[in-house]
Amino acid sequence: MSADALDRIAAALERISPAPRPAPALDEAPAYMWQPDPDRLSPVASVSRVDLGLLLGIERARDTLLANTRRFAQGLPANNALLWGARGMGKSSLVKAVHGALETEFPNLKIVEVQREDLASIDRCLSLLRGAPQRFILFCDDLSFSHDDAHYKSLKAVLDGGIEGRPENVVLYATSNRRHLMPRDMIENERSTAISPSEAVEEKVSLSDRFGLWLGFHPCDQNAFLSMIRGYCDAFDLKIDEDRLRAEAIEWQATRGGRSGRVAWQFFTDLAGREGVRIG
């Protein structure tokens, strides 16, 4: 066989089975996005987040997650964390803010965001992170599962780690509106119609039990709502009469049909714009 023919065969084999992708450089950015097919960790040079001190009304959850993350950054044992509860109360903001509060002290602490729909490829992501000198917060926002959703099986690769175990340099932080990651009516329906009701949803429900930390976020009352807005005003030195602030804030939350940390921030953003105060 001619040398030219051998070269063509080698080139064809190379196309069929390309060389392994080089290990990603994981020291060029504070954060990354996991993107499969082709597998890659895309660097995020600037993370969209608020300062930890601006997250008001969730002090207990803040202090607990900050302490857990600090231990992890120091190489000490730390738990996976599930932040669950009311919408707009700062669950995802807290995860990003905690990382931001520690990244200067621990430059090797990185945050990697994984979309729920990409959980099927999470084992490949872990293989890239395993053994790296950095430490990684694997962040999955707005996590939940439906009755025919098999993504939860992939999540166990992070929580349990299979035969290899979870990488020592990876911890998972997830947020969800549901404590058990699936709707209550779905749990009750599957229990009532299953041949073995006690086992019907045990696998999915027990998934939340695999998180060592459960941090609950509950709807805020009016006093907490107003305190959040006052805290934002103080932080950005926005001067406003207290009676006017209270009246406008209550009117704003009435038009939105509810109170939350997100609604408080949206009101403050509007107020700052009207008052000519920069918050960027």
Side-chain angles (χ1 to χ4, degrees), residues 2 16 19 42-43 55 58 64 80 84 90 93 109-110 114-115 120 164 176 189 194 233 236 238 259:
S2 68
I16 295 171
S42 300
L55 296 177
I58 55 172
T64 301
N80 299 313
W84 67 275
S93 294
L109 179 65
K110 311 294 182 179
V114 178
Q115 301 297 322
E164 286 187 290
S176 178
N189 181 63
C233 291
F236 291 97
L238 191 157
R259 295 180 291 263

Short mmCIF file of all heavy atoms in Angstrom, two decimals, residues 2 16 19 42-43 55 58 64 80 84 90 93 109-110 114-115 120 164 176 189 194 233 236 238 259:
data_model
loop_
_atom_site.label_atom_id
_atom_site.label_comp_id
_atom_site.label_asym_id
_atom_site.label_seq_id
_atom_site.Cartn_x
_atom_site.Cartn_y
_atom_site.Cartn_z
N SER A 2 0.53 2.21 -0.83
CA SER A 2 1.36 3.40 -0.98
C SER A 2 1.30 4.28 0.27
O SER A 2 0.34 4.23 1.06
CB SER A 2 0.90 4.21 -2.20
OG SER A 2 -0.38 4.75 -1.97
N ILE A 16 -12.77 10.47 12.32
CA ILE A 16 -13.72 9.62 13.02
C ILE A 16 -13.49 9.68 14.52
O ILE A 16 -14.43 9.75 15.32
CB ILE A 16 -13.62 8.16 12.52
CG1 ILE A 16 -14.03 8.09 11.04
CG2 ILE A 16 -14.49 7.23 13.37
CD1 ILE A 16 -13.75 6.74 10.40
N ALA A 19 -8.49 13.64 18.29
CA ALA A 19 -7.64 13.62 19.48
C ALA A 19 -8.38 14.21 20.66
O ALA A 19 -9.25 15.07 20.49
CB ALA A 19 -6.36 14.41 19.21
N SER A 42 -16.88 27.55 29.37
CA SER A 42 -16.70 28.89 28.81
C SER A 42 -16.46 29.90 29.93
O SER A 42 -17.29 30.02 30.85
CB SER A 42 -17.94 29.29 28.01
OG SER A 42 -18.16 28.39 26.95
N PRO A 43 -15.36 30.63 29.89
CA PRO A 43 -15.06 31.59 30.95
C PRO A 43 -16.03 32.76 30.99
O PRO A 43 -16.51 33.22 29.95
CB PRO A 43 -13.63 32.06 30.63
CG PRO A 43 -13.47 31.78 29.17
CD PRO A 43 -14.31 30.59 28.85
N LEU A 55 -27.98 41.96 50.48
CA LEU A 55 -29.01 40.92 50.60
C LEU A 55 -29.54 40.94 52.03
O LEU A 55 -28.96 40.34 52.94
CB LEU A 55 -28.40 39.56 50.24
CG LEU A 55 -27.93 39.44 48.79
CD1 LEU A 55 -27.29 38.09 48.53
CD2 LEU A 55 -29.09 39.66 47.82
N ILE A 58 -32.29 37.92 54.91
CA ILE A 58 -31.95 36.50 54.81
C ILE A 58 -30.63 36.23 55.53
O ILE A 58 -29.81 35.43 55.09
CB ILE A 58 -31.86 36.05 53.33
CG1 ILE A 58 -30.88 36.94 52.55
CG2 ILE A 58 -33.24 36.06 52.68
CD1 ILE A 58 -30.61 36.42 51.14
N THR A 64 -24.93 31.06 57.10
CA THR A 64 -24.73 29.62 57.01
C THR A 64 -24.02 29.26 55.71
O THR A 64 -23.05 28.47 55.71
CB THR A 64 -26.07 28.87 57.09
OG1 THR A 64 -26.71 29.18 58.33
CG2 THR A 64 -25.85 27.36 57.02
N ASN A 80 -23.05 19.94 50.27
CA ASN A 80 -23.87 20.44 49.18
C ASN A 80 -25.04 21.20 49.80
O ASN A 80 -25.49 20.87 50.91
CB ASN A 80 -24.40 19.29 48.33
CG ASN A 80 -23.29 18.49 47.68
OD1 ASN A 80 -22.37 19.04 47.11
ND2 ASN A 80 -23.39 17.17 47.77
N TRP A 84 -34.06 26.66 48.92
CA TRP A 84 -35.41 26.46 48.41
C TRP A 84 -36.37 27.47 49.02
O TRP A 84 -36.13 28.02 50.09
CB TRP A 84 -35.90 25.04 48.74
CG TRP A 84 -36.12 24.81 50.22
CD1 TRP A 84 -35.18 24.44 51.13
CD2 TRP A 84 -37.34 24.97 50.93
NE1 TRP A 84 -35.74 24.36 52.39
CE2 TRP A 84 -37.06 24.67 52.30
CE3 TRP A 84 -38.63 25.33 50.57
CZ2 TRP A 84 -38.04 24.74 53.28
CZ3 TRP A 84 -39.61 25.39 51.55
CH2 TRP A 84 -39.30 25.09 52.89
N GLY A 90 -33.93 35.96 46.84
CA GLY A 90 -32.48 36.08 46.83
C GLY A 90 -31.71 34.77 46.84
O GLY A 90 -30.52 34.78 47.20
N SER A 93 -29.13 34.92 43.95
CA SER A 93 -28.28 36.08 44.25
C SER A 93 -27.33 35.78 45.39
O SER A 93 -26.17 36.21 45.38
CB SER A 93 -29.15 37.29 44.60
OG SER A 93 -29.92 37.71 43.50
N LEU A 109 -11.05 29.69 44.16
CA LEU A 109 -12.46 29.32 44.29
C LEU A 109 -13.21 29.82 43.06
O LEU A 109 -13.33 31.01 42.83
CB LEU A 109 -13.06 29.92 45.56
CG LEU A 109 -14.54 29.62 45.81
CD1 LEU A 109 -14.75 28.13 46.05
CD2 LEU A 109 -15.06 30.43 47.00
N LYS A 110 -13.74 28.88 42.27
CA LYS A 110 -14.45 29.21 41.03
C LYS A 110 -15.91 28.79 41.16
O LYS A 110 -16.25 27.91 41.95
CB LYS A 110 -13.82 28.49 39.84
CG LYS A 110 -12.30 28.63 39.75
CD LYS A 110 -11.87 30.06 39.48
CE LYS A 110 -10.35 30.16 39.33
NZ LYS A 110 -9.90 31.54 39.04
N VAL A 114 -24.35 25.37 35.71
CA VAL A 114 -24.83 24.28 34.88
C VAL A 114 -26.34 24.45 34.70
O VAL A 114 -27.07 24.56 35.69
CB VAL A 114 -24.53 22.91 35.52
CG1 VAL A 114 -25.09 21.78 34.64
CG2 VAL A 114 -23.03 22.73 35.73
N GLN A 115 -26.81 24.47 33.46
CA GLN A 115 -28.24 24.57 33.20
C GLN A 115 -28.91 23.22 33.49
O GLN A 115 -28.32 22.16 33.28
CB GLN A 115 -28.49 24.97 31.74
CG GLN A 115 -27.88 26.29 31.34
CD GLN A 115 -28.45 27.47 32.12
OE1 GLN A 115 -29.65 27.51 32.39
NE2 GLN A 115 -27.61 28.42 32.48
N ALA A 120 -27.67 15.95 32.01
CA ALA A 120 -27.35 14.64 31.47
C ALA A 120 -25.86 14.51 31.16
O ALA A 120 -25.33 13.39 31.12
CB ALA A 120 -28.17 14.38 30.21
N GLU A 164 -16.69 6.47 41.84
CA GLU A 164 -15.52 7.32 42.09
C GLU A 164 -15.74 8.26 43.28
O GLU A 164 -14.79 8.73 43.88
CB GLU A 164 -15.21 8.17 40.86
CG GLU A 164 -14.58 7.41 39.71
CD GLU A 164 -14.15 8.34 38.60
OE1 GLU A 164 -15.04 8.89 37.92
OE2 GLU A 164 -12.94 8.54 38.41
N SER A 176 -34.18 26.11 44.22
CA SER A 176 -35.44 25.56 43.75
C SER A 176 -36.58 26.23 44.50
O SER A 176 -36.42 26.64 45.65
CB SER A 176 -35.50 24.04 43.98
OG SER A 176 -36.75 23.51 43.58
N ASN A 189 -50.08 12.36 43.87
CA ASN A 189 -50.72 11.60 42.80
C ASN A 189 -49.99 10.29 42.52
O ASN A 189 -50.61 9.23 42.37
CB ASN A 189 -50.77 12.45 41.52
CG ASN A 189 -51.45 11.73 40.37
OD1 ASN A 189 -52.62 11.41 40.44
ND2 ASN A 189 -50.68 11.47 39.32
N ALA A 194 -49.65 4.43 42.50
CA ALA A 194 -48.59 3.44 42.30
C ALA A 194 -48.94 2.10 42.94
O ALA A 194 -49.70 2.02 43.90
CB ALA A 194 -47.27 3.95 42.88
N CYS A 233 -31.41 52.25 50.14
CA CYS A 233 -31.25 53.71 50.15
C CYS A 233 -30.01 54.12 50.93
O CYS A 233 -29.23 54.99 50.49
CB CYS A 233 -32.50 54.37 50.75
SG CYS A 233 -33.99 54.24 49.73
N PHE A 236 -26.67 53.26 49.03
CA PHE A 236 -26.35 54.10 47.87
C PHE A 236 -26.54 55.58 48.16
O PHE A 236 -26.55 56.40 47.22
CB PHE A 236 -27.20 53.67 46.68
CG PHE A 236 -26.83 52.31 46.13
CD1 PHE A 236 -27.54 51.18 46.51
CD2 PHE A 236 -25.76 52.16 45.27
CE1 PHE A 236 -27.21 49.93 46.02
CE2 PHE A 236 -25.41 50.91 44.76
CZ PHE A 236 -26.13 49.79 45.15
N LEU A 238 -29.06 57.42 49.05
CA LEU A 238 -30.22 58.06 48.44
C LEU A 238 -31.05 58.70 49.55
O LEU A 238 -31.58 58.01 50.42
CB LEU A 238 -31.05 57.04 47.64
CG LEU A 238 -32.15 57.58 46.72
CD1 LEU A 238 -32.48 56.58 45.64
CD2 LEU A 238 -33.43 57.93 47.50
N ARG A 259 -44.84 40.88 47.78
CA ARG A 259 -43.59 41.45 48.29
C ARG A 259 -42.49 40.39 48.21
O ARG A 259 -42.72 39.22 48.50
CB ARG A 259 -43.75 41.90 49.73
CG ARG A 259 -44.71 43.03 49.96
CD ARG A 259 -44.78 43.38 51.44
NE ARG A 259 -45.42 42.32 52.21
CZ ARG A 259 -46.69 42.32 52.57
NH1 ARG A 259 -47.48 43.33 52.20
NH2 ARG A 259 -47.20 41.33 53.28
#
